[in-house]
Amino acid sequence: MQTAMETEVLGVRIRRRTRREALEILRRFLAGGATHSVYFVHAATANLAFEDASYRDVINRGHLVLNDGIGMRLATRSSGVVLNENLLGTDLIPLLFREPFTRLLRVFLLGGRPGVIERAAARIAEQYLQVQVVGTAHGYFASSEEPAIVERIHRLQPDLLLVGLGNPRQEQFIDRHLAELGCRVAAGVGGLFDHFAGELRRASPWVRQWGLEWCQLLIQQPHKWRRYLLGNPKFLWRAFRGRALGAARQGAVAALSFAIAIAAAEAAVRLIRPQTLERHPESLYVASSTRQYKLRPHFHGVFRYPEFQTEVRISGQGLREDREYSPAHPSVRRVLALGDSFTMGYSVEQPRTWVRVLERLLNQGARYEVINAGVPGYSTRQELVYLEEEGMGLRPDVVLLGFFLGNDITDNALPALPVELLGGRLISAGARSGLLPFACRLALARHSHLYQLVQRSGRAFAGADYAVYGGQAESGWQATAGLIDRLARRCAARGVRLIVLLMPEKIQVESAARPRAAMPDLTLPNRRMRALCREAGVEAIDLLDALTRPGGQAQPALYFPQDGHWTPEGNAIAARATFDYLRHDPQ
């Protein structure tokens, strides 16, 4: 029977409690002899409970069920139960750790990713001197391993077991093994370990006060967008549809809650983590039957990024140059720089690209012309075709192939780049298929920071971006070897010196830019590319050492934090390292 302080939300029983009351109950549980279960229920938990009666029963068997999030507070208000305090685990557990205990509080941590759980344990030991972490186990275990984990917990006899396996797995684990665990309190805590380990940041106090912390979590975990942007409105619609609302009013509530969720998330992303909406100016590219696309001759436009705005002029020869190149004078040595956006250098003004800086350095002695033939997005395959069709016609003495280790190897595995030309812009080849109409998705891509964050998160979580560091992407390596060999033969046939310039990715240089999870050997693609070049009889300049200080400390501001291309300082260091190589080995 419900009391005046108790109500149901989608079948889950919630009782009004203050933060102090919840802490006192936890202290009482920890002082007793029985094992008690503690669950924190937010909108996503309630949605799962609504859809699964057995899971709902698990939650309702909990000895302490606490409300988490503004959705629960809104849902209970219409029933007359006002939940004045938000009792989420990321607040309550740290407060519990600060409570005065007569002896050390013994804690076991179960859940989270490998590496994260260990960092969380270390942080707890550092911050809370009266807490002793007696054991940890990550959450990536098979069902066959579960009995051994339960037996280990029982043997260690912790006072408090924190289970961060996510909903519904964590509550089901606790309910299934409650009698066997041997602890006094078993609590399902979701992503608490990510917070302790520093993987997730708490929102500002004003954001929490307004009930918008979910926006902060969405920004940090955009792959969970369905949970927040679809799940929250679904929860509110379910919670209010039985409150004497007509069908039209129910629909209005659902639509309004969805609109508010989208607007709040969009505002939060724009404020905290603005995205790049227009990567390249309109009409920059024209179609090419052999290279898919190329730079539009005589184009003039501006790259407008959150971190920079640069003017780009394209010559009549389709190069980022201010002049047209006729046959070189016999006294002039000509260097042709091939590559992608790192060579074109759209993140800096033209005089500050590594190509122009290298030319100025070389011209301190003999007369040189260094031609910028970089095109954003090109793979080695397109660069080879350009060299055969147009580049050799410029009569270079040296060809510098800018090879970006971040994607050139995987791109080389493809017979064609996965892009298409639309209105002078490049779009993903798969962009025309999706849940929303193409025109709608195109508009969102050009105007919505939230949409771009979600899209880029989906690509990042695929893990393919890091395949080359784990000894994978073999088809790309094989294709790259073939392309380098063809370039070497083309250059040798014309008496042209070929040098491959190995351009490291940001994560290879700046430790702060690396994913939280443990990364494989980040120098592997450099070593393998150098070996590949040696086998083809091609020179290689590896810029990794030049861009990295001794001891692995990256020099400041060599890559733009969000865009990931070189800053003016990064371009200058790349140019200097290339110049030093050419100066000491001029041939």
Side-chain angles (χ1 to χ4, degrees), residues 63 311 327 446:
H63 296 97
E311 184 180 21
R446 292 176 179 175

Side-chain angles (χ1 to χ4, degrees), residues 237-249:
W237 178 75
R238 286 169 167 173
F240 285 107
R241 68 177 181 173
R243 309 291 187 188
L245 294 176
R249 194 174 173 189

Side-chain angles (χ1 to χ4, degrees), residues 514-573:
R514 294 166 193 162
R516 297 282 187 177
M519 290 289 295
D521 184 0
L522 293 176
T523 66
L524 175 63
N526 300 65
R527 290 186 280 108
R528 191 162 177 179
M529 272 300 299
R530 292 198 302 268
L532 185 153
C533 289
R534 282 196 302 271
E535 291 173 7
V538 174
E539 300 171 71
I541 306 173
D542 191 347
L543 296 178
L544 183 58
D545 289 340
L547 290 163
T548 308
R549 286 179 175 169
Q553 293 297 315
Q555 302 182 43
L558 300 185
Y559 294 78
F560 283 103
Q562 182 178 323
D563 170 72
H565 284 83
W566 284 332
T567 61
E569 293 77 11
N571 276 274
I573 290 176

